[in-house]
Amino acid sequence: MAPLLPGVDDSGSGSEQAHARKLALAGLALLALAGLSFGLSYLRLAAWALPIALLIALAKASLVLGCFMEFWREAVSVRLAALTALVMLLLLATFTIADVATRERPPLLPPEQAALTPLTPTGALPP
Amino acid sequence: MYELLRRLFFLPRAATELARAIDALHFVVIGTTLLGSLAIAAAAIWLITRYRSDVVRPTPHQSARASREWLLALAVVSAFLAAWVVGYKQFLRFHEPAPNAFTVYVTAKQWMWKFTYPDGRSTTDILTVPEDQPLELVMTSRDVIHSFYLPGFRAKQDVLPGRYVTLSLGAARAGNYRISCAEYCGISHYAMSGELRVLPAREFQAWLEAGSPDQNSSLVELGRTASARHGCFACHTDDGQTHVGPTWSGLFGSEVLLADGTRVLADAAYLTRSMMDPQAEIVAGFQPVMPTYLGSLPQPEAAAIVEYIRSLRRAEREPNPTLPTVQVAPPDAGATRSSAP
Amino acid sequence: MSELADHFDSPERQAHAARLGMWVFLGSELLLFAGLFTLYGAYRTKFPAEFAEGVRHSTKLLGSLNTAILLVSSSFAALAVEQLRRARRGRALGLLLATQACGVVFLVLKFIEYSKHFALGIYPGGQGRFFAAHASAHFEPFWTLYFLTTGLHALHVAVGILVLAFTTLALGRGSFGPKFIHPVHNATLYWHLVDLIWIFVWPLYYLA
Amino acid sequence: MTTTFEPELRVVPSAPPRVRDLAREWLLTRDHKRIGILYFAATSLALALGGTFALLLRIEHLTPGPTIVSPATYDRLFTLHGVTMVWLFLIPSIPTAFGNYLVPLQIGAREVAFPRLNLLSFWIYVFGAAFVLCAMGLGGLDTGWTFYVPYSSSAPSAVVPTLVGIFIVGWSTILTGVNFIVTIHTMRARSVSWMRLPLFTWAIYGTSIIQVLATPVLGLSLLIVMLDHAFSWGLFDAARGGDPVLYQHLFWFYSHPAVYIMILPAMGVISEVVSTFAHKNPHSYRAIVYATLGIAFVGFLTWGHHMFVAGMSVFDAGAFGVLSMLVAVFSAIKVFTWVATLRNGSIMLKTPLLYVFAFLFLFVFGGMSGVAVATMSLDVHWHDTYFVVAHFHFIMVGGALTAWLAALHYWFPKVTGRSYSERVGMLAAVLVSAGFFATFFPQFLLGNAGMPRRYYSYPPEFTALNVASTLGSWLLASGLLLALFGLAHAFLFGPPSGDNPWRSRCFEWRTASPPPTHDFEQVPSFELDAYDYTTPWPEEPSLDSSAEEPS
Ligand code: HEA
Ligand code: HEA
Ligand code: CUA
Ligand SMILES: [Cu+2]
């Protein structure tokens, strides 16, 4: 496989070469995952389709981060910076989606108030 | 005491029980604010005078004990959380569906308030309601965001285009209350005001009878024809039979079980939401197939249909309710979308 | 351009500063897209059916091809840095050029995708005959978000290409060597971020 | 980066070479101190503009009906005032002017990490600010500083150019933030470990994190509004299934953290001034550091408290309510620490400390009124009334602007090497505080009485309180002018101050005042902590503080 890929060759010291091979492998794994995701999209997974696709995306993202961006080799400060940004993204999304998802229903009423008996017919107007 | 504090704080007369409760919390929180900031200032003055020195001397290195810091933080946070708990409970009351409510539809547009009553009549900028009956507003906007503000009720709710929002106000004391628009909505924002008149029951009845002489068909009747015209009966019935959708008979005021397991009270607000945003709350056992009527069903007709559905539970006992006659504005020409696919 | 600016006391510190600066900036970029992902989630919660249907109307094959292209380009970029570390400037240059070529192909395909949408009468903002024909459902949020997200992403691809091009030029002029590669590294980091974002855009708008 | 940066710019082509050189030396400088001073000049200009707009607003409210301007002009004025004050003055003011000048000095560095980026970011700011002001001055904008859709997407005014300008200024904010984060991480002198950093630097660090993470979200929301206004994309248009409340989520996700961008640097100033003038270590250094970081992070979780009545779900409203209470605790911890620092101190009562005193009272009042508006049922009444206007002016003027003045007086000798007149300074401080209180306290009561904000005219029963507020604003303005006059006079004619007139131990005072071009003749070892006042410095006679008083 190695000669097929530009940038990977057999010269150089062992560990350097291993690293280049690792990168190439990561690239292939990414393509394979993308293929998997693509294939799965033809199955009728209904409600599961999105979570599964996102999980695969997460796996791909970890590959890019870990292998290409050398995330784990960076200084702690760098990792913290990236992590903070991610956390903020999740916060923004969570609270905003929670708003849309929980609107127009007061779920926090005590049950005895929520469970009202049918109204008197003259509810509309005072006698 | 309450009256004194209320005047001291420049608060307008409170119209409802809830407004008074909110004022009580107000006094506690602002009282703490005043005392707290004065205490901090006093402490600072005292320390500055006490330790002021003309010669700069070395000072001892001091460090706070962590346990004390935590205790202090805990004390402050519990005070704040207490305020939140009380405040949240009161806040929820603005959103609780009230049994027996007198429901008014509010349409906001630049720069006026339009009110549609249960009997179908409409007024602009002046809202007249009976005393001692909980008041519920179902509101929407025709253009930008406005905010319906009743200082006397300590109540406010943004009014949004394309959505129905509700505001439960509780039963009010008789009197006149100022209505303002509190969300900036353009050049005449400051002039978008109105008045809420709460009348004792007898006077209200008189007001009802005095108004609208030239109305010729009951709101319920109008609701029935509107339903037919908009094709509701393709899926709904008024005689108790289940069709594509649930029957309307006996629906109003009942408790509806939704597909996600929660229960809601079928009040005017719920019914309106069902028409305008049917996908939001799906009745258990039905498919989410009902189209939205947002934009195609004008406000007065929606109100009429709700009144019609409301009438369907007493139809068995009390045919032909003697509701005052109504006049409904012509179908909204400004509706942006047709319902036909 | 000399390798060490006079206010830094060591090359390591300078490299660390450059990398940290880049990562912090990438975090900032991520939050630019955070708003779009958030809007996607919120509108999808509101209109689940329309979104599912919208995904079915998207140009899935082209979009997936673009995914593959970006993934490959990212691998090239990573390998380029690796080659540079081993002082193989020629190979590194080639790989960087290949990365940019991938980016250009991506943009061309994107352009084709857009013209296909336009041909169907799908324009941003719910304009076009597609929306007139589906007036009872709300497809507008999906498509407007689609154009906004992919458009902004494409803009980032374009900027990434420019950044890489400048880096390649500087590399060709011999500004960087094995000890001084963090400008190249930073340029590829930016490219990887563009890739990362696409990795999530793709399933959301094309697959499910 | 040692090669000369060839300036192509001919600033004043026909001017004699000396002026040209001077202009080039300043306008293209990469010296963090000079950039700080440039920023100071630019942001002060913004303050003067914004303040002038504010005075006009107040004059309009002298009578219930029309007074000096038309409704359309009034709407443009409050938008101009808000936009100028927030983006052109308060957000950049302390971090860019004082931060640029002092952070390198406080960490024992000779420069910020990216000096050229720093200069670039200044010019981006100037360009963006000019853009905003031209757009709003020529085209007018009447949406308020919040640009709520759908009004802003159809408002008949210069929406797009103004937002483009703010977008540009946002870039400057982000670049500055990146620069400071990297500087503080990588440029510290060897002996300056994290837990020895001066507190002002910590504050700038926390601020920068917010700047970097929040500003892009503002950029996106403005972009969407622009696309809507220009091309009718209508992403928030209800007729097309859009939801205007989502815009508010995005906007406040930026703008609530942005209020901490405004207050954190101010708090940093207070920490320094209290410690220096009490000549004592902060009562708890760690508490302040952790509270700074706490505010920076938890501050991201409370944006929804601006939307309690906006049609948000009651579940979300409750969550944001409780989180707002949590963030307030960090501020309380800081306040208690500052007060406790005064204990057992050796206090030198000078103008900056007087401002700190005003800050303590006004910030606690304003902050607690923030807790009050975060109490959900109370906010239903207060939202979008003058109560909220009073809340944020108490914090932004009574807190941040006061701290800005404190910083100005505190570091004046550091920057100019001259001392100002304490008598004028103190008189101005008293005038500013009294004027401030008279301006904004009545606004709390107006809010209680139910006067909505952004109102051109108001019912006559509100007249008395409004007049009081307007009179107060004149007192406030004269106080500010007096303070500026005092400093300008001292800048030209003030006597030399010596290197360390306040006997501070903080790191920036361990070099000459004003500092040499490369900050330190030789970077000191900083053996003594920044807040170690337990020993007298050997070379420093324990001075009679009255000897400092300029004649
Ligand atoms: C620098 C700016 C700044 C700062 C720091 C704050 C700080 C806070 N703000 Fe404020 N706020 C604004 C600027 C700011 N705000 C602006 C500009 C608006 C209006 C925007 C618009 O609509 O145009 C606004 C609006 C605003 C609202 C919305 C009101 C409405 O529109 O309805 C709310 C609601 O919760 C709020 C809450 C808070 C809280 C809880 C804090 C807390 O962080 C405060 C914490 C501080 C303290 C709590 C003081 C210290 C406490 C003590 C020392 C304790 C003393 C002890 C006891 C008495 C027990 N703010
Ligand atoms: C940093 C923020 C900041 C600051 C410092 C101020 C300062 C002041 N503000 Fe501002 N204000 C806001 C931020 C700020 N404001 C915001 C965000 C809004 C909301 C806008 C909106 O609704 O969209 C607002 C709204 C607002 C309103 C409400 C308008 C309305 O809703 O209708 C009012 C009304 O009184 C007001 C008054 C004042 C006054 C009197 C001052 C005074 O403190 C000003 C004092 C300053 C001066 C007087 C300048 C002094 C200097 C000179 C005069 C120099 C002269 C010139 C040279 C030497 C060249 N402000
Ligand atoms: Cu309607 Cu303001
Ligand atoms: Cu806030």
Side-chain angles (χ1 to χ4, degrees):
Chain A
M1 157 203 86
L4 288 180
L5 286 161
V8 184
D9 70 8
D10 23 0
S11 64
S13 83
S15 76
E16 279 174 341
Q17 196 190 336
H19 190 67
R21 181 163 294 156
K22 200 181 102 199
L23 290 180
L25 276 179
L28 287 182
L30 281 171
L31 284 177
L33 282 171
L36 176 68
S37 209
F38 184 73
L40 283 178
S41 74
Y42 284 97
L43 303 183
R44 291 173 161 262
L45 295 171
W48 288 101
L50 192 60
I52 291 178
L54 285 179
L55 269 182
I56 297 178
L58 208 62
K60 282 191 288 182
S62 330
L63 272 177
V64 172
L65 265 176
C67 297
F68 293 170
M69 301 174 86
E70 301 177 342
F71 182 69
W72 297 109
R73 292 211 268 148
E74 290 289 356
V76 184
S77 51
V78 165
R79 281 184 266 158
L80 267 179
L83 226 63
T84 316
L86 186 66
V87 169
M88 291 310 165
L89 186 156
L90 292 178
L91 283 174
L92 172 60
T94 310
F95 277 100
T96 307
I97 297 171
D99 171 21
V100 177
T102 57
R103 254 186 221 162
E104 301 291 353
R105 296 192 205 167
L108 294 162
L109 289 186
E112 66 273 18
Q113 278 184 36
L116 286 163
T117 45
L119 306 177
T120 51
T122 47
L125 294 172
Chain B
M1 183 62 182
Y2 167 81
E3 208 43 37
L4 180 72
L5 283 174
R6 182 182 73 73
R7 281 165 193 272
L8 208 63
F9 281 88
F10 282 71
L11 286 162
R13 203 168 68 98
T16 60
E17 210 34 60
L18 178 56
R20 274 189 80 129
I22 290 177
D23 286 351
L25 182 61
H26 181 154
F27 301 148
V28 173
V29 172
I30 293 300
T32 318
T33 302
L34 282 168
L35 290 180
S37 40
L38 286 177
I40 297 274
I45 290 186
W46 187 76
L47 287 170
I48 290 177
T49 41
R50 165 77 179 70
Y51 292 106
R52 188 164 170 204
S53 124
D54 290 336
V55 188
V56 177
R57 293 191 200 85
T59 56
H61 180 89
Q62 287 188 323
S63 61
R65 265 190 282 140
S67 59
R68 248 199 247 162
E69 275 173 39
W70 278 109
L71 221 66
L72 200 64
L74 212 68
V76 174
V77 90
S78 352
F80 292 171
L81 287 181
W84 175 76
V85 169
V86 179
Y88 192 28
K89 283 207 175 134
Q90 292 173 344
F91 177 79
L92 285 179
R93 285 173 63 186
F94 284 117
H95 297 277
E96 277 164 22
N100 245 339
F102 183 81
T103 305
V104 180
Y105 291 82
V106 181
T107 314
K109 57 180 252 193
Q110 282 167 333
W111 289 277
M112 60 205 271
W113 301 101
K114 194 171 158 207
F115 304 105
T116 310
Y117 292 77
D119 65 1
R121 75 178 75 201
S122 313
T123 57
T124 317
D125 290 344
I126 295 185
L127 170 59
T128 311
V129 301
E131 195 184 23
D132 292 333
Q133 198 183 351
L135 178 59
E136 183 183 51
L137 304 175
V138 180
M139 307 190 279
T140 191
S141 163
R142 287 268 208 87
D143 36 53
V144 300
I145 302 179
H146 303 270
S147 191
F148 189 83
Y149 180 29
L150 278 167
F153 289 65
R154 315 288 184 264
K156 181 183 291 120
Q157 173 63 52
D158 281 11
V159 182
L160 299 156
R163 237 178 91 189
Y164 284 83
V165 288
T166 55
L167 184 62
S168 293
L169 288 170
R173 282 202 287 159
N176 292 346
Y177 302 92
R178 194 155 45 82
I179 298 172
S180 313
C181 177
E183 181 64 62
Y184 180 70
C185 53
I187 192 165
S188 295
H189 160 61
Y190 66 93
M192 188 169 162
S193 55
E195 191 172 67
L196 172 60
R197 297 189 178 147
V198 182
L199 300 180
R202 190 108 56 73
E203 286 175 40
F204 182 72
Q205 201 58 40
W207 175 81
L208 271 184
E209 278 151 19
S212 43
D214 56 333
Q215 292 159 354
N216 44 24
S217 86
S218 91
L219 189 63
V220 169
E221 200 44 54
L222 223 129
R224 193 198 319 275
T225 49
S227 311
R229 197 167 65 245
H230 287 280
C232 311
F233 294 128
C235 303
H236 296 280
T237 66
D238 59 358
D239 59 2
Q241 289 186 47
T242 298
H243 194 36
V244 179
T247 180
W248 289 349
S249 162
L251 172 60
F252 192 91
S254 72
E255 210 187 285
V256 178
L257 178 65
L258 299 181
D260 63 4
T262 55
R263 290 167 180 279
V264 293
L265 171 72
D267 55 3
Y270 166 76
L271 293 180
T272 315
R273 291 201 304 276
S274 295
M275 294 180 236
M276 302 308 168
D277 192 7
Q279 307 301 327
E281 287 151 312
I282 302 295
V283 184
F286 291 90
Q287 294 299 310
V289 292
M290 174 166 163
T292 173
Y293 285 86
L294 189 68
S296 61
L297 194 59
Q299 174 78 82
E301 282 190 296
I305 294 178
V306 169
E307 263 341 281
Y308 167 58
I309 297 178
R310 191 204 292 267
S311 77
L312 286 173
R313 56 165 292 100
R314 69 188 133 175
E316 298 115 36
R317 270 170 286 154
E318 219 182 286
N320 215 355
T322 48
L323 279 165
T325 51
V326 293
Q327 173 214 333
V328 168
D332 188 355
T336 42
R337 281 184 167 271
S338 94
S339 64
Chain C
M1 186 174 320
S2 96
E3 301 197 354
L4 182 63
D6 59 356
H7 58 283
F8 284 103
D9 52 15
S10 74
E12 292 78 49
R13 268 201 175 194
Q14 188 176 9
H16 179 48
R19 296 258 281 278
L20 179 62
M22 192 64 198
W23 275 92
V24 172
F25 181 70
L26 294 188
S28 192
E29 285 278 3
L30 185 64
L31 273 139
L32 181 65
F33 284 90
L36 290 168
F37 288 124
T38 300
L39 287 176
Y40 181 93
Y43 279 127
R44 185 157 188 151
T45 311
K46 258 188 132 165
F47 305 110
E50 278 93 340
F51 270 62
E53 186 64 27
V55 167
R56 248 165 271 144
H57 276 84
S58 64
T59 41
K60 185 162 162 181
L61 284 176
L62 284 173
S64 308
L65 191 57
N66 258 346
T67 308
I69 289 172
L70 265 197
L71 291 176
V72 169
S73 76
S74 237
S75 318
F76 287 164
L79 284 166
V81 174
E82 177 61 24
Q83 293 301 320
L84 204 59
R85 283 204 184 116
R86 292 204 242 157
R88 298 204 174 121
R89 212 166 57 119
R91 280 172 200 258
L93 273 174
L95 282 162
L96 281 180
L97 284 174
T99 310
Q100 292 159 57
C102 286
V104 172
V105 175
F106 179 96
L107 288 181
V108 170
L109 289 186
K110 192 92 254 159
F111 183 77
I112 299 178
E113 280 182 70
Y114 281 177
S115 26
K116 289 202 163 186
H117 300 313
F118 296 158
L120 285 176
I122 301 176
Y123 293 91
Q127 292 150 7
R129 60 176 196 292
F130 175 88
F131 299 97
H134 298 81
S136 65
H138 280 304
F139 284 114
E140 300 93 334
F142 176 85
W143 284 109
T144 308
L145 271 178
Y146 167 85
F147 282 111
L148 197 58
T149 311
T150 55
L152 202 62
H153 179 266
L155 193 69
H156 278 74
V157 172
V159 171
I161 294 175
L162 284 181
V163 170
L164 285 175
F166 278 117
T167 318
T168 317
L169 275 181
L171 185 64
R173 280 202 312 262
S175 305
F176 318 122
K179 293 251 159 56
F180 184 64
I181 58 163
H182 62 256
V184 183
H185 189 98
N186 273 352
T188 62
L189 278 181
Y190 187 81
W191 190 257
H192 293 313
L193 179 87
V194 173
D195 189 28
L196 269 183
I197 286 165
W198 183 260
I199 285 179
F200 287 93
V201 170
W202 180 53
L204 290 176
Y205 288 95
Y206 293 89
L207 293 186
Chain D
M1 277 165 238
T2 41
T3 49
T4 38
F5 178 62
E6 263 315 320
E8 295 297 341
L9 206 79
R10 288 284 171 275
V11 184
V12 193
S14 57
R18 241 167 48 80
V19 175
R20 202 160 68 198
D21 288 350
L22 200 68
R24 183 190 297 177
E25 226 171 83
W26 274 87
L27 299 181
L28 297 176
T29 180
R30 272 170 274 149
D31 177 354
H32 66 99
K33 297 187 288 303
R34 289 192 167 179
I35 293 181
I37 290 170
L38 286 177
Y39 262 122
F40 176 78
T43 49
S44 304
L45 208 63
L47 170 69
L49 270 176
T52 310
F53 300 138
L55 293 178
L56 291 175
L57 288 177
R58 283 317 322 161
I59 293 175
E60 175 55 45
H61 279 177
L62 211 46
T63 66
T67 310
I68 50 167
V69 295
S70 67
T73 313
Y74 182 84
D75 296 346
R76 289 168 181 203
L77 275 178
F78 70 68
T79 309
L80 256 172
H81 167 64
V83 168
T84 311
M85 284 299 199
V86 169
W87 282 296
L88 308 190
F89 170 62
L90 197 47
I91 286 183
S93 64
I94 298 181
T96 58
F98 295 103
N100 261 322
Y101 200 98
L102 292 159
V103 165
L105 293 175
Q106 288 197 333
I107 63 177
R110 297 216 137 106
E111 249 310 335
V112 292
F114 309 119
R116 271 195 297 180
L117 200 65
N118 207 10
L119 180 66
L120 179 70
S121 137
F122 171 72
W123 284 111
I124 294 180
Y125 164 80
V126 171
F127 180 66
F131 209 101
V132 170
L133 290 172
C134 289
M136 295 179 74
L138 301 178
L141 181 72
D142 71 336
T143 60
W145 79 286
T146 48
F147 317 117
Y148 272 16
V149 289
Y151 184 72
S152 65
S153 46
S154 58
S157 48
V159 175
V160 177
T162 310
L163 298 196
V164 169
I166 295 174
F167 196 88
I168 297 174
V169 173
W171 271 98
S172 154
T173 310
I174 294 177
L175 295 181
T176 306
V178 172
N179 209 342
F180 280 136
I181 292 179
V182 177
T183 303
I184 296 171
H185 266 280
T186 62
M187 306 289 290
R188 281 172 288 128
R190 297 242 176 265
S191 54
V192 184
S193 61
W194 283 99
M195 280 300 159
R196 295 187 74 209
L197 275 183
L199 290 167
F200 178 72
T201 296
W202 266 114
I204 295 294
Y205 183 68
T207 309
S208 305
I209 294 178
I210 309 179
Q211 287 182 338
V212 165
L213 293 179
T215 313
V217 180
L218 174 74
L220 181 78
S221 31
L222 297 187
L223 182 70
I224 297 179
V225 174
M226 284 187 253
L227 287 172
D228 198 3
H229 198 272
F231 308 114
S232 180
W233 277 31
L235 189 53
F236 300 118
D237 177 4
R240 287 176 258 175
D243 181 350
V245 177
L246 292 178
Y247 166 79
Q248 299 175 21
H249 275 293
L250 292 186
F251 181 82
W252 291 114
F253 179 83
Y254 161 78
S255 281
H256 183 77
V259 309
Y260 296 122
I261 298 180
M262 308 180 213
I263 203 67
L264 275 180
M267 290 170 154
V269 171
I270 301 299
S271 301
E272 296 294 353
V273 173
V274 167
S275 197
T276 291
F277 287 87
H279 299 97
K280 208 183 124 278
N281 67 312
H283 191 61
S284 171
Y285 174 88
R286 274 166 195 270
I288 293 206
V289 171
Y290 295 146
T292 298
L293 293 176
I295 289 177
F297 288 103
V298 184
F300 273 98
L301 299 177
T302 65
W303 77 84
H305 66 209
H306 295 268
M307 302 163 60
F308 286 148
V309 303
M312 185 171 57
S313 82
V314 293
F315 166 78
D316 246 32
F320 283 124
V322 76
L323 286 163
S324 302
M325 297 301 177
L326 293 185
V327 76
V329 176
F330 297 115
S331 301
I333 291 177
K334 288 195 170 187
V335 169
F336 293 133
T337 309
W338 292 322
V339 175
T341 302
L342 294 172
R343 232 183 100 232
N344 285 329
S346 173
I347 296 175
M348 193 192 243
L349 182 56
K350 293 284 152 93
T351 309
L353 195 64
L354 210 56
Y355 278 115
V356 168
F357 171 73
F359 175 96
L360 282 176
F361 177 63
L362 299 175
F363 174 72
V364 173
F365 201 113
M368 284 299 294
S369 72
V371 170
V373 277
T375 305
M376 310 174 66
S377 61
L378 300 181
D379 186 55
V380 175
H381 178 46
W382 285 329
H383 174 70
D384 270 347
T385 65
Y386 266 79
F387 190 95
V388 173
V389 175
H391 153 67
F392 65 74
H393 282 92
F394 258 66
I395 295 195
M396 299 205 298
V397 184
L401 187 65
T402 303
W404 181 81
L405 287 165
L408 204 51
H409 287 85
Y410 173 50
W411 281 304
F412 186 79
K414 177 87 248 166
V415 178
T416 61
R418 293 175 187 269
S419 41
Y420 58 86
S421 155
E422 285 293 342
R423 226 171 311 150
V424 176
M426 291 211 178
L427 180 63
V430 170
L431 278 182
V432 166
S433 314
F436 171 82
F437 200 80
T439 312
F440 293 105
F441 188 76
Q443 298 191 356
F444 278 122
L445 301 174
L446 279 172
N448 275 352
M451 176 168 165
R453 60 193 280 205
R454 298 169 176 174
Y455 262 33
Y456 166 68
S457 72
Y458 52 87
E461 63 262 32
F462 298 145
T463 312
L465 288 170
N466 268 303
V467 169
S469 176
T470 304
L471 295 180
S473 70
W474 296 345
L475 197 60
L476 172 56
S478 38
L480 280 170
L481 284 177
L482 183 63
L484 293 184
F485 167 78
L487 292 179
H489 186 268
F491 178 68
L492 297 174
F493 311 112
S497 62
D499 284 348
N500 189 358
W502 317 125
R503 304 279 163 259
S504 174
R505 292 280 155 88
C506 207
F507 295 156
E508 78 269 24
W509 295 100
R510 300 198 192 170
T511 180
S513 302
T517 322
H518 273 279
D519 289 3
F520 299 95
E521 294 306 347
Q522 177 145 32
V523 177
S525 58
F526 298 119
E527 266 153 30
L528 204 65
D529 256 15
Y531 303 106
D532 189 341
Y533 288 95
T534 52
T535 51
W537 276 358
E539 73 275 26
E540 167 187 304
S542 58
L543 278 176
D544 184 356
S545 69
S546 60
E548 302 285 22
E549 191 71 45
S551 45

